[in-house]
Amino acid sequence: MAVTNHERVGKALELLKAGLVPFVERELKEQYAQLWFERAKGSVSDLQSDLFGSAEKPKWDAAALLAVMWNQWNEVFRKVLGQAERTLVSELKEVRNRWAHQQPFSSDDTYRALDSVNGLLSDVSAPEAAEVETMNVELLRVRFDEQVGTD
């Protein structure tokens, strides 16, 4: 069975989570030392903070990671990332919300989402960026095959 665009975006969000966790935790610990977990938890919604786990075993998801990055930007992340990355965080928050609410993704939407995930992961030197890039190349191949088949 063919992979849907919604599934592609979901997989990319899983890779985003995997790639951002080490970076986000490292930067928060650098800024806040032992208080990092409380500061992170305080920068998400009450619903998200209820799902956060503990400092010893945080339970991250893509929404929480992006919210923490957005809400802790001035104090933590702007020291190591630029405005382009802040824009990617904002864009990916919207992508994640669309995905979570099961809204459809066109091939163009999916390509852009994967490209944005790849960009942010590359900017934080996450190895998961390579897998997202491979997913984007595969999406382009599928789109090409579909276009050739309809002509």
Side-chain angles (χ1 to χ4, degrees), residues 92-111:
L92 290 170
K93 285 175 61 173
E94 177 63 27
V95 166
R96 184 263 167 214
N97 288 340
R98 286 184 59 203
W99 176 84
H101 294 284
Q102 300 177 342
Q103 293 179 2
F105 285 86
S106 69
S107 291
D108 287 343
D109 294 337
T110 303
Y111 180 83

Side-chain angles (χ1 to χ4, degrees), residues 9-132:
V9 172
K11 175 66 175 170
L13 290 171
E14 289 175 20
L15 292 167
L16 179 69
K17 178 185 105 168
L20 285 182
V21 166
F23 169 77
V24 168
E25 287 186 4
R26 181 187 73 228
E27 295 303 319
L28 289 168
K29 288 174 184 176
E30 175 77 21
Q31 178 68 31
Y32 298 121
Q34 295 89 349
L35 298 176
W36 77 271
F37 183 77
E38 291 307 316
R39 294 302 299 259
K41 192 173 176 180
S43 48
V44 298
S45 71
D46 290 340
L47 178 60
Q48 285 175 315
S49 72
D50 289 344
L51 305 172
F52 231 63
S54 65
E56 296 76 33
K57 191 165 178 144
K59 294 181 181 175
W60 291 106
D61 64 13
L65 286 161
L66 293 167
V68 167
M69 288 184 76
W70 183 261
N71 293 323
Q72 290 288 327
W73 189 264
N74 289 332
E75 293 81 6
V76 179
F77 298 101
R78 81 172 182 173
K79 296 174 183 176
V80 293
L81 299 173
Q83 186 58 41
E85 289 79 18
R86 182 160 167 85
T87 301
L88 289 174
V89 169
S90 177
E91 182 180 329
L92 290 170
K93 285 175 61 173
E94 177 63 27
V95 166
R96 184 263 167 214
N97 288 340
R98 286 184 59 203
W99 176 84
H101 294 284
Q102 300 177 342
Q103 293 179 2
F105 285 86
S106 69
S107 291
D108 287 343
D109 294 337
T110 303
Y111 180 83
R112 181 171 175 101
L114 296 179
D115 190 53
S116 296
V117 168
N118 180 47
L120 187 55
L121 289 175
S122 294
D123 291 340
V124 302
S125 301
E128 291 81 0
E131 189 172 346
V132 178

